[in-house]
Amino acid sequence: MATIQMRVRPEDLSQVPKSQERIPEPMILVIFGASGDLTRRKLLPALFHLRQANLLPERFAIVGVARRPLGPTFAQDMRAGIIESGGVEANDAKLDEFVSHISYFQLNFDDPSSYAGLKAELERIDKERNIGGNRLFYLATASEFFAGIVENLGAQGMAQAEHGVAEVLIEKPFGHDLDSARELDRRVNAVFPENQVYRIDHYLGKETVQNLLVFRFANGIFEPVWNRNYIDHVQITVAETLGIEGRGPFYEKAGALRDVMQNHMMELLAMICLEPPSSFEAESLRREKHKVWRAIHPIPVQDAVCGQYGPGIMGGEHVVGYRDEERVNPQSTAETYAALRLEIENWRWAGVPFYLRTGKRLKKRATEISIEFKQPPLLIFNRMATGNHCQEIQPNLLKIRIQPDEGIALRFGAKVPTSPSMAVCPVTMDFDYETAFGKSSANGYERLLLDAMLGDQTLFLHRDGVEITWALFMPILQAWAENKPDLFPNYFAGSWGPDSADRLLERDGRAWRNDLGR
Ligand code: BG6
């Protein structure tokens, strides 16, 4: 298929006004669960990039909190993590300056008595660095500790800053099901009111996810066709080649539906389907997202399928099946793949099927949204076709690549040159982020951390949104818990998932698009 590249003209780029970046007020960022992978691989590199871009306040401190006795080695380990994340030399003076803001405090999350010590330590740092009372508590621990930590912070009076602000930022999962999510919200909100709570879904920090709003609402040509009159169906795929990466105990409880579908994929769906918000402020955007989720027709249990990978070959290497992964039950029924069909019953989308799938150990890593448009009347081309058979003209297709190869491609038909019979060939206009703007090192967390420090909740979840999406999936989760619809394992590592997922689309005369990426 022919491809037309699209580029940004340097003169256009130079005319983009530099945004007036706001710098947060002086602040102590307290990371609970700081000895975990997330802090080292994502959070600290993101904070360092913010520092390099002069987006952190001059007076700030990062305090890692965890159970292990790490002491000063913590800051050095974070330094190594930043270097490993790339883009910085070990002898960079800026790195040393940044690391001088990091310290560690050892604490047992569920031991109330140790929180007084934490409070005293934060007050000491505050005085030393003249912070002025602002605190952002980042909960990156296992989810069972969230509520207890929040309550202990509350008991020590750390949820209401005497001067400045106190905010809590919570990593997913927000509960295990609807009831536990409600209970967590209740306990968190008993200490921190909703306007001090930041529930993070890192997908919302991705540039390409935010670009969905720009693509839809800053361009005049797409919105008129963005509805049931022109769109045939939509597919959303979050395919991973990785397995569970040593996270057995977590994944055994979560599974693909809870881990990715209920949160990241619902965000992608909302961004594609929402009505134009009146502004990009938290309240306005969240209201539109909630309207989309509320309009989803209850998903029949038979419209959802699950799978679990067995052994297979990936990149020429043999990989083990899920049940043979570390710390996984050899008879596990956790799903590593989930797919479903849903419909949104509102004026824009009624009758348009949405097919969503996510899985581990699939053939290719790709997060992509593909929007297939309805065919126009094609009779004239078929009459012109050579021979006895009609030519198959492919429908217009818009592919939005969230990652990797971030970009957007539009497929349309073009006349094959010199063909006397009006032969039509699909061609693609392709906008590629990296070619157009150069490589971005942002990992999503930069934007989200900065927004939280600035007190902007737009890209964070409200408790209502979390509860609406849980409610949507409860019947499926309950049905799967009682009776796994397939015999596991039911797909090979390195394949595109179980056959039952193909049948879900075959019923509608469609197939998954497996030509993902560029
Ligand atoms: C996380 C899930 O939230 O998202 C992981 O817990 C998953 O299982 C990850 O791999 C996917 O994120 P990304 O940014 O790599 O697409």
Side-chain angles (χ1 to χ4, degrees):
M1 192 192 304
T3 299
I4 307 156
Q5 294 278 351
M6 289 156 78
R7 289 179 192 281
V8 175
R9 297 185 314 163
E11 56 272 35
D12 288 341
L13 201 52
S14 67
Q15 277 173 22
V16 176
K18 290 265 171 289
S19 55
Q20 279 297 315
E21 296 289 5
R22 288 193 299 143
I23 313 264
E25 295 295 316
M27 170 153 303
I28 304 183
L29 172 62
V30 186
I31 307 176
F32 287 87
S35 56
D37 208 31
L38 180 77
T39 309
R40 189 179 196 274
R41 277 198 316 117
K42 304 266 172 144
L43 303 183
L44 268 294
L47 287 162
F48 178 61
H49 290 152
L50 289 174
R51 181 66 171 170
Q52 278 180 313
N54 296 322
L55 291 173
L56 289 188
E58 273 314 308
R59 288 172 282 139
F60 79 98
I62 299 166
V63 180
V65 177
R67 283 169 292 189
R68 286 187 234 162
L70 295 176
T73 58
F74 176 74
Q76 285 319 306
D77 189 39
M78 294 302 113
R79 186 182 194 282
I82 295 167
I83 296 168
E84 280 164 32
S85 74
V88 55
E89 296 298 324
N91 57 4
D92 190 328
K94 276 196 171 162
L95 183 56
D96 287 328
E97 192 280 334
F98 175 77
V99 171
S100 72
H101 294 258
I102 305 175
S103 61
Y104 183 77
F105 188 84
Q106 186 190 356
L107 171 143
N108 258 338
F109 304 135
D110 43 13
D111 171 14
S113 64
S114 44
Y115 284 77
L118 174 66
K119 184 179 185 188
E121 173 67 358
L122 297 183
E123 280 167 2
R124 187 192 64 74
I125 295 173
D126 193 304
K127 220 167 170 188
E128 183 183 287
R129 295 190 180 261
N130 190 15
I131 301 279
N134 295 323
R135 310 276 189 270
L136 175 58
F137 299 102
Y138 193 128
L139 308 192
T141 60
S143 57
E144 63 257 33
F145 296 112
F146 291 169
I149 293 173
V150 165
E151 284 165 355
N152 281 315
L153 291 174
Q156 288 298 329
M158 286 192 266
Q160 300 92 24
E162 236 170 81
H163 313 284
V165 296
E167 291 164 346
V168 65
L169 202 154
I170 308 180
E171 269 290 336
K172 74 182 246 293
F174 316 113
H176 182 71
D177 53 21
L178 180 58
D179 288 345
S180 53
R182 281 190 176 139
E183 176 63 6
L184 176 63
D185 288 336
R186 188 190 62 72
R187 290 175 70 184
V188 169
N189 283 161
V191 178
F192 288 92
E194 191 61 21
N195 65 0
Q196 289 169 237
V197 181
Y198 293 73
R199 292 180 194 79
I200 198 166
D201 180 321
H202 76 281
Y203 261 57
L204 288 175
K206 291 185 193 281
E207 289 289 347
T208 36
V209 175
Q210 290 164 46
N211 187 46
L212 291 172
L213 296 175
V214 175
F215 181 77
R216 290 189 54 198
F217 302 129
N219 294 293
I221 60 172
F222 302 109
E223 211 41 34
V225 296
W226 208 261
N227 57 53
R228 61 199 296 264
N229 298 325
Y230 295 92
I231 292 180
D232 179 76
H233 76 277
V234 178
Q235 294 188 16
I236 307 181
T237 299
V238 176
E240 298 185 83
T241 47
L242 292 177
I244 52 160
E245 301 294 287
R247 295 194 302 158
F250 162 77
Y251 209 81
E252 281 285 274
K253 278 198 256 157
L257 199 124
R258 288 187 170 90
D259 187 35
V260 171
M261 186 80 82
Q262 183 264 342
N263 34 71
H264 304 328
M265 297 198 77
M266 284 297 108
E267 291 296 339
L268 295 177
L269 179 77
M271 291 297 205
I272 287 294
C273 296
L274 51 74
E275 295 301 317
S278 52
S279 74
F280 289 127
E281 275 166 19
E283 177 61 25
S284 202
L285 190 66
R286 287 167 163 186
R287 191 179 311 124
E288 295 307 332
K289 290 198 304 187
H290 296 180
K291 274 159 64 181
V292 171
W293 294 331
R294 284 201 175 98
I296 297 176
H297 189 271
I299 306 166
V301 171
Q302 63 275 17
D303 283 1
V305 301
C306 57
Q308 188 190 76
Y309 63 83
I313 306 284
M314 301 205 58
E317 304 272 315
H318 177 267
V319 298
V320 297
Y322 176 71
R323 290 178 176 185
D324 291 321
E325 298 275 12
E326 258 174 63
R327 297 183 292 159
V328 163
N329 174 356
Q331 267 95 45
S332 172
T333 56
E335 82 282 357
T336 59
Y337 178 99
L340 53 85
R341 176 194 192 280
L342 61 81
E343 291 195 22
I344 300 173
E345 282 191 333
N346 61 18
W347 280 61
R348 188 189 282 266
W349 295 112
V352 179
F354 288 79
Y355 303 98
L356 278 58
R357 63 175 165 169
T358 182
K360 303 267 183 205
R361 286 285 190 226
L362 296 182
K363 193 170 190 130
K364 187 166 183 180
R365 172 174 177 247
T367 296
E368 197 163 301
I369 301 165
S370 71
I371 300 171
E372 188 170 309
F373 289 87
K374 291 183 176 167
Q375 289 276 37
L378 292 168
L379 197 60
I380 46 168
F381 294 100
N382 291 335
R383 284 211 179 111
M384 300 277 307
T386 46
N388 292 328
H389 39 190
C390 304
Q391 56 177 337
E392 234 191 78
I393 297 182
Q394 298 187 16
N396 293 134
L397 183 75
L398 185 69
K399 296 210 310 171
I400 303 173
R401 299 187 301 268
I402 304 294
Q403 65 185 19
D405 308 327
E406 290 81 355
I408 299 177
L410 178 66
R411 182 179 76 188
F412 57 96
K415 181 182 175 298
V416 178
T418 73
S419 147
S421 61
M422 278 294 203
V424 180
C425 173
V427 294
T428 300
M429 281 200 291
D430 196 344
F431 154 69
D432 169 57
Y433 250 94
E434 188 178 341
T435 319
F437 294 108
K439 195 156 181 62
S440 158
S441 59
N443 66 13
Y445 279 97
E446 281 164 41
R447 171 68 193 265
L448 296 173
L449 280 163
L450 185 64
D451 280 3
M453 286 190 258
L454 287 166
D456 182 347
Q457 290 186 311
T458 309
L459 297 179
F460 295 87
L461 281 90
H462 188 273
R463 62 178 284 171
D464 292 352
V466 174
E467 293 177 18
I468 302 167
T469 50
W470 272 123
L472 197 65
F473 290 111
M474 286 321 297
I476 300 171
L477 287 168
Q478 271 153 10
W480 287 358
E482 283 157 22
N483 178 22
K484 287 277 163 192
D486 276 301
L487 284 179
F488 285 171
N490 60 354
Y491 70 97
F492 294 108
S495 72
W496 274 118
D499 293 345
S500 46
D502 293 338
R503 290 197 292 274
L504 192 65
L505 273 74
E506 283 162 14
R507 273 179 3 199
D508 295 349
R510 300 193 175 96
W512 292 107
R513 301 200 57 82
N514 288 338
D515 57 344
L516 302 174
R518 297 198 75 194

